[in-house]
Amino acid sequence: MDSYVPEDAGTKKDLFESAHLAAIALGLRPSARSILSQLVGFFREPINGLYLVWPSNEFLSDRTGLSDRAIRYAIGELIRAGVILARDSANGKRFAVRSKQGQILDAYGFNLSPLLARKDELQARTDAIREFQRARMALFDQITICRRAAQEALYALSALEMSIDTSDLQAEYERLVALSPRRTSSQPVEPVLSLWQSLKTTLEDRYNAACGGKNSRLIENNKDSPDQSCNKRQRDNESEINLPDLCAACPDAFGYVESVGNDRELLSAAAGLRGAIGIHRSAWDEAMEKIGPLRASAAFFVVLEIYSADQSGEMKIKNPGGYFRNYVRMIESGQIDLAEVIRYMRRKKAH
């Protein structure tokens, strides 16, 4: 029975567009998609208002590389999905009925009219699927943001106070990494996102508490032009670094140098020592550019102090070069207040 005849004649381009929409909206398997594409490609022009095609299985096999059995399964899937109709001849073969002059009068094979008739429906379903996928990808993006924030907070806690116990938070972080679904999976995302947001909040609260209740995130509040703002903020931040406080906060680190009496000697000492613990020249240049020479030098001695004092055997800083590079980026982004860290470490050493 021929039905689903479209009210308006469609072109071959319309058929290809409908086939593409059907593949997405109906979730067709790859084999069915391939066969549908070949059926549309076989089409030439409507016959008596019907979109008829009659390719043999041999033709379809040559074009797709599928076996005869796979072709039959794919055709059955397309018929069940309601995008094509079978037009069987008496002997089960597919062929065109021609006049004596060679004009095609009818054909036995498949009717593609339902595919074209359902184009608007398929478009609506495809749009809904794509919107769902966009919303789902946005949730995965939020998970990525929370995961990175949690990782940076763990680094910050380790740098802020060497004796702080973050084993429970590290274990929860690793559990959530294993629990998080892949973007290609069909598992629900919202429950995992909620857990990541909770961990992120917990880590930030613990970090702020360790800073004495002071939120150490950068607050951007100026009306300078972009270049003036950057230069002014770098000068202001460098003026916050107090050399006596730094020396008191990092006694083990300064034990590697003879004496540091001014900022120039501090910079020279840091530049001379950075290679000894595996900090690459590119990481040092990046630090100088991003946070300024004085803060880069102070950050180096803070990292060296943590690295030197770590005698636990676990080696919290397994890669000093990578740790220093990440530490500098967190200072630049405002996630670590270097001056506050130095004051905190000095107070800890005094007790």
Side-chain angles (χ1 to χ4, degrees), residues 67-100:
S67 66
D68 188 67
R69 183 178 183 181
I71 291 172
R72 290 199 304 271
Y73 282 158
I75 290 173
E77 181 179 347
L78 294 174
I79 293 174
R80 290 191 299 273
V83 292
I84 66 173
L85 292 172
R87 300 187 88 237
D88 297 326
S89 64
N91 60 7
K93 296 184 179 295
R94 302 172 198 145
F95 58 92
V97 179
R98 301 176 183 270
S99 66
K100 292 182 180 180

Side-chain angles (χ1 to χ4, degrees), residues 53 97 153-154 158 191 195 204 222 326 328:
V53 293
V97 179
L154 285 169
S158 175
L195 293 174
E204 290 177 347
N222 68 75
N326 188 63
V328 166

Side-chain angles (χ1 to χ4, degrees), residues 314-330:
E314 287 186 19
M315 295 302 294
K316 295 178 181 178
I317 303 181
K318 298 180 180 179
N319 179 4
Y323 188 94
F324 175 76
R325 193 187 294 269
N326 188 63
Y327 197 75
V328 166
R329 291 172 180 172
M330 293 172 68

Side-chain angles (χ1 to χ4, degrees), residues 199-267:
L199 177 61
K200 174 177 173 289
T201 301
T202 301
L203 280 164
E204 290 177 347
D205 289 345
R206 188 173 297 188
Y207 179 70
N208 292 331
C211 290
K214 178 180 177 181
N215 190 330
S216 59
R217 280 188 173 272
L218 175 66
I219 299 176
E220 185 69 45
N221 184 20
N222 68 75
K223 298 181 181 179
D224 297 322
S225 62
D227 57 339
Q228 291 173 332
S229 174
C230 290
N231 293 333
K232 178 180 178 182
R233 183 164 62 248
Q234 181 167 307
R235 291 194 301 271
D236 291 345
N237 286 330
E238 293 215 342
S239 67
E240 294 179 1
I241 304 301
N242 183 283
L243 183 55
D245 283 351
L246 181 62
C247 292
C250 307
D252 294 334
F254 279 97
Y256 289 95
V257 296
E258 293 183 359
S259 64
V260 175
N262 54 50
D263 293 348
R264 184 182 297 274
E265 292 178 354
L266 176 69
L267 175 59

Side-chain angles (χ1 to χ4, degrees), residues 133-169:
Q133 290 174 342
R134 279 193 291 268
R136 183 175 172 83
M137 289 301 104
L139 294 177
F140 277 109
D141 291 341
Q142 288 298 315
I143 287 180
T144 301
I145 292 170
C146 290
R147 177 178 56 78
R148 289 176 178 172
Q151 185 180 40
E152 290 170 354
L154 285 169
Y155 270 116
L157 282 169
S158 175
L160 183 64
E161 183 182 3
M162 291 174 287
S163 61
I164 193 169
D165 183 14
T166 59
S167 58
D168 58 329
L169 299 175

Side-chain angles (χ1 to χ4, degrees), residues 264-295:
R264 184 182 297 274
E265 292 178 354
L266 176 69
L267 175 59
S268 177
L273 281 175
R274 55 96 187 159
I277 63 170
I279 296 177
H280 194 269
R281 178 60 183 268
S282 64
W284 179 249
D285 291 342
E286 178 185 334
M288 297 274 282
E289 178 183 353
K290 288 187 174 182
I291 62 176
L294 182 57
R295 288 208 298 164

Side-chain angles (χ1 to χ4, degrees), residues 98-113:
R98 301 176 183 270
S99 66
K100 292 182 180 180
Q101 292 77 26
Q103 180 182 3
I104 299 177
L105 303 176
D106 200 356
Y108 293 97
F110 305 105
N111 182 3
L112 304 182
S113 299

